[in-house]
């Protein structure tokens, strides 16, 4: 059950957003699509339907009814009286099994905490039209702090006329019998049963799945059933005002309302091969799986004490499982960016991609989505794929500017969609799990071939907190806040020498964004903080680049570099300055940088000569692989570029850090932290400047 602060948060959001002009607001968001009840609220809509009177009573007993009859932004999933009667029966049986002699005839017989949990499970504090959503997790947790799952149910088909059919939408275990009933303060969806609010952890779901018995057994013998039961960080504290009221922040001249994350969660995403997939590899028992893992992860110095102890992190089986676990929560619908953001990629050059650290120390996965035209297809999400594209004009094979496309073509491992899984519930208290169509290995081929590429790493993937919280790729369009940000105090992988700064993740804005993947990290104030970089997949010389976004409101930063053995803390005397301070307000067209638009140059030779000249000064233009919300290729924007910070020999068993220190004495000076690039010598020695 959620704490009372969530109820306070819900109430204040309603009150604060009520000052926004509401006349025609739903028509503006969804023109010509939804019927709007003039003056009708979520509460009055429910009150006018006698068959939902028991749910109304639940909301009244939970103390949340008044919020639904005033202005705000709400989503309500309403179960009818029959569903409430079934819920009462189930809760009575549950109570009796635990030694309580009770009878629940009406809602008023329920314990208050059951009413609270039931009400909060069926409510979101944003307006969410399921007709607009792709299957997957809803954009935000409900008031009970759980993500709900939208799926298409192939066992329930709706018939429209003689030939048009549609799959019934299902929310967790409930069928949506009527959707998108729009009101002045939100939307109501009507469901055929109460949404389950069981307290399963993600391991429990895998353990209950009859298709994943072998993987579940391996997780348990290695002790992951305990590791995968972590959830809240009880030591994390944040002021209630920062969570509920938010703070005002200006980014690149735009005023944002930033709401802080109220709790730090430990979540997981499990990439699970089913028993049938493991069988195809000759794996039928735990011994088979251990022997398979030993061929990949066994070290020369393995000793009996390690090899015989499956729960030892150095054990091959433990490592094998670890590479199938991401230490954050991410759903298929946002794994490579929201559907509207993905449209900004130039699919002729590169597919949407992201790089994530796994639970296996010093390891990465590359997850990419193959585009179908400009549209994203959830059936085309691959892990560690190295397939290349041939441009439609028949030009030289290319993609991401890496030589890997001229080498072995690796299909990779596909992540199955929720519909392909056929599992009603794949989301738990502390994470989700997805089926994959092969097993994952972090072997020599993956490290030295597949990942020997320019890795463009969006900064919102640098901390699991940004992903688990939902701040990365968050859709704020129905929150009632036009410019929305998610604030963080000391996010994981980020550390600061003092607290005189604010850090937030800016929600993507498809009408005005100039950022890679739409969102970005905004840092403001007298900051002096450092960030743990993702590991490099293999030893060698790598180039570190920083995305650059010039703006007159930005400051002057000094960057530093440090490398320490894995697990050690960085000491102040270990920082090495990376060149001179960087003025983030610089005009990229001035001679010290040398930016000139491609169209103003004579021919391709002149363009290549300029690229080389800029690179000699430590600068590069933006990428031609993505465009702005206004359809301008990043390479053609004279305020966007890339700055080469360092070229260093890096090893795969070392922790690397980059530090940013604000030098300008201005408490409002900004740093727009968008993405970094880690580029191996095999790539930066070639002509990949444009991509």
């Amino acid at each position: 059950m959620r704490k009372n602060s969530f109820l306070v948060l819900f109430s204040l959001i309603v009150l604060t957003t009520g000052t926004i002009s509401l006349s025609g607001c739903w028509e503006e968001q969804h023109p010509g699509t939804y019927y709007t009840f003039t003056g009708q609220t979520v509460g009055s809509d429910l009150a006018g339907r006698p068959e939902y009177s028991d749910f109304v009573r639940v909301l009244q007993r939970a103390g949340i009814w008044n919020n639904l009859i005033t202005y705000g932004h709400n989503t309500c999933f309403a179960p009818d009286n029959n569903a409430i009667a079934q819920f009462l029966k189930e809760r009575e049986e549950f109570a009796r099994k635990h030694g309580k002699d009770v009878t629940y005839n009406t809602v008023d017989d329920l314990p208050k905490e059951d009413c609270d949990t039931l009400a909060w499970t069926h409510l979101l504090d944003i307006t969410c039209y399921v007709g607009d959503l792709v299957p997957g997790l809803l954009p935000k947790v409900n008031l009970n702090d759980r993500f709900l799952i939208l799926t298409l149910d192939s066992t329930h088909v709706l018939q429209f006329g003689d030939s048009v059919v549609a799959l019934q939408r299902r929310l967790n275990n409930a069928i949506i019998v009527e959707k998108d009933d729009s009101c002045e303060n939100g939307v109501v969806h009507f469901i055929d049963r109460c949404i389950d609010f069981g307290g399963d952890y993600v391991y429990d779901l895998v353990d209950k799945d009859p298709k994943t018995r072998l993987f579940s057994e391996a997780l348990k013998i290695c002790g992951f059933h305990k590791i995968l039961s972590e959830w809240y960080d009880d030591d994390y504290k944040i002021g209630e005002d920062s969570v509920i009221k938010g703070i005002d922040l200006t980014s690149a001249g735009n005023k944002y309302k930033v709401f802080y994350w109220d709790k730090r969660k430990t979540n997981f995403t499990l990439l699970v091969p089913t028993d049938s997939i493991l069988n195809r590899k000759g794996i039928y028992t735990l011994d088979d799986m251990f022997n398979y893992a030993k061929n990949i992860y066994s070290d020369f110095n393995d000793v009996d004490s390690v090899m015989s102890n499956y729960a030892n992190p150095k054990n091959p089986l433990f490592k094998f499982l670890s590479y199938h676990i991401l230490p954050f929560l991410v759903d298929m619908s946002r794994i490579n960016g929201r559907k509207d953001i993905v449209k900004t990629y130039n699919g002729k050059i590169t597919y949407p991609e992201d790089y994530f650290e796994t639970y296996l120390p010093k390891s990465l996965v590359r997850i990419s989505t193959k585009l179908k035209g400009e549209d994203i297809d959830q059936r085309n999400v691959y892990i560690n794929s190295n397939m290349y594209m041939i441009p439609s004009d028949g030009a030289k094979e290319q993609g991401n500017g890496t030589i890997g496309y001229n080498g072995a073509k690796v299909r990779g491992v596909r992540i199955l969609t929720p519909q392909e899984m056929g599992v009603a519930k794949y989301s738990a208290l502390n994470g989700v799990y997805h089926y994959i169509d092969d097993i994952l290995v972090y072997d020599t081929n993956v490290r030295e071939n597949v990942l020997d590429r320019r890795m463009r790493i969006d900064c919102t993937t640098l901390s699991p907190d940004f992903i688990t919280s939902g701040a990365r790729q968050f859709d704020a369009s129905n929150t009632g806040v036009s410019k929305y940000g998610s604030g963080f105090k000391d996010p994981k992988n980020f550390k600061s020498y003092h607290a005189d700064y604010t850090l937030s993740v800016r929600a993507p804005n498809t009408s005005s964004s100039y950022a890679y993947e739409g969102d970005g990290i905004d840092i403001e104030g007298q900051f002096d903080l450092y960030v743990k970089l993702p590991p490099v997949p293999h030893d060698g010389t790598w180039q570190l680049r920083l995305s650059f976004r010039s703006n007159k409101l930005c400051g002057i930063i000094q960057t530093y570099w440090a490398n320490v053995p894995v697990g050690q803390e960085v000491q102040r005397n270990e920082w090495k300055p990376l060149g001179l301070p960087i003025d983030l307000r610089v005009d990229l067209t001035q001679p010290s940088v040398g930016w000139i638009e491609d169209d103003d140059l004579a021919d391709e030779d002149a363009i290549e000569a300029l690229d080389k000249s800029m690179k000699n000064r430590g600068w590069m233009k933006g990428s031609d692989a993505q465009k702005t919300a206004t359809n301008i290729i990043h390479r053609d924007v004279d305020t966007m570029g890339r700055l080469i910070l360092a070229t260093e020999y890096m090893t795969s068993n070392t922790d690397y850090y980059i530090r940013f220190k604000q030098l300008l004495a201005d408490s409002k000076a900004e740093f727009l932290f968008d993405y970094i690039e880690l580029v191996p010598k095999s790539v930066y020695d070639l002509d990949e400047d444009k991509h």
Side-chain angles (χ1 to χ4, degrees), residues 448-654:
E448 297 185 358
N449 294 320
V450 174
L451 295 179
D452 186 54
R453 59 195 305 121
R454 181 194 58 244
M455 298 191 297
R456 183 170 295 143
I457 300 165
D458 187 83
C459 289
T460 62
T461 66
L462 291 177
S463 172
D465 289 346
F466 302 148
I467 312 174
T468 292
S469 67
R472 174 182 177 265
Q473 295 294 307
F474 178 60
D475 184 356
S477 60
N478 291 320
T479 61
V481 180
S482 59
K483 300 287 185 181
Y484 190 103
S486 299
F488 293 88
K489 184 190 79 169
D490 301 326
K492 293 179 181 178
N493 293 342
F494 284 64
K495 290 191 177 181
S496 177
Y497 285 119
H498 58 73
D500 192 15
Y501 74 100
T502 57
L503 184 151
S504 65
V505 173
R506 177 181 0 101
N509 187 323
T510 54
S511 64
S512 62
S513 177
Y514 274 65
Y516 177 64
E517 295 191 346
D519 50 15
I521 298 175
D522 296 328
I523 306 172
E524 181 183 286
Q526 296 301 119
F527 55 84
D528 185 358
L529 55 83
Y530 58 98
V531 184
K532 182 178 176 292
L533 295 174
V536 293
H538 62 80
D539 298 357
T541 302
W542 291 75
Q543 198 168 82
L544 173 65
R545 302 172 185 165
L546 175 70
S547 66
F548 193 90
R549 177 92 181 276
S550 175
N551 190 280
K552 63 182 180 181
L553 299 176
C554 288
I556 300 173
I557 61 171
Q558 176 66 59
T559 58
Y560 303 84
W561 167 272
N563 58 285
V564 298
V566 173
Q568 289 191 11
E569 292 292 323
V570 185
Q571 304 301 316
R572 280 191 180 249
N573 62 359
E574 293 175 311
W575 291 110
K576 181 179 74 173
L578 294 176
L580 298 173
I582 304 166
D583 191 339
L584 300 174
R585 305 162 299 176
V586 66
D587 180 355
L588 298 184
T589 63
Q590 70 180 29
S592 62
V593 179
W595 191 99
I596 301 174
E597 189 171 359
D598 287 354
D599 288 347
D600 292 337
L601 297 169
D603 52 30
E604 192 64 31
D605 289 341
I607 292 174
E608 291 183 4
L610 180 68
D611 284 343
K612 183 176 291 186
S613 174
M614 287 183 62
K615 206 167 185 179
N616 289 336
R617 300 187 188 99
W619 290 92
M620 298 174 65
K621 290 186 177 182
S623 167
D624 63 358
Q626 199 177 28
K627 55 190 176 183
T628 70
T630 53
N631 224 27
I632 305 173
I633 297 296
H634 285 186
R635 180 177 169 86
D636 295 336
V637 180
D638 64 4
T639 58
M640 298 180 72
R642 289 171 282 178
L643 185 60
I644 301 171
L645 295 182
T647 303
E648 297 276 346
Y649 188 87
M650 301 174 69
T651 62
S652 59
N653 62 350
T654 302

Side-chain angles (χ1 to χ4, degrees), residues 190-202:
F190 299 95
I191 54 180
D192 73 336
R193 69 199 70 184
C194 295
I195 299 169
D196 62 271
F197 53 79
D200 288 332
Y201 292 112
V202 68

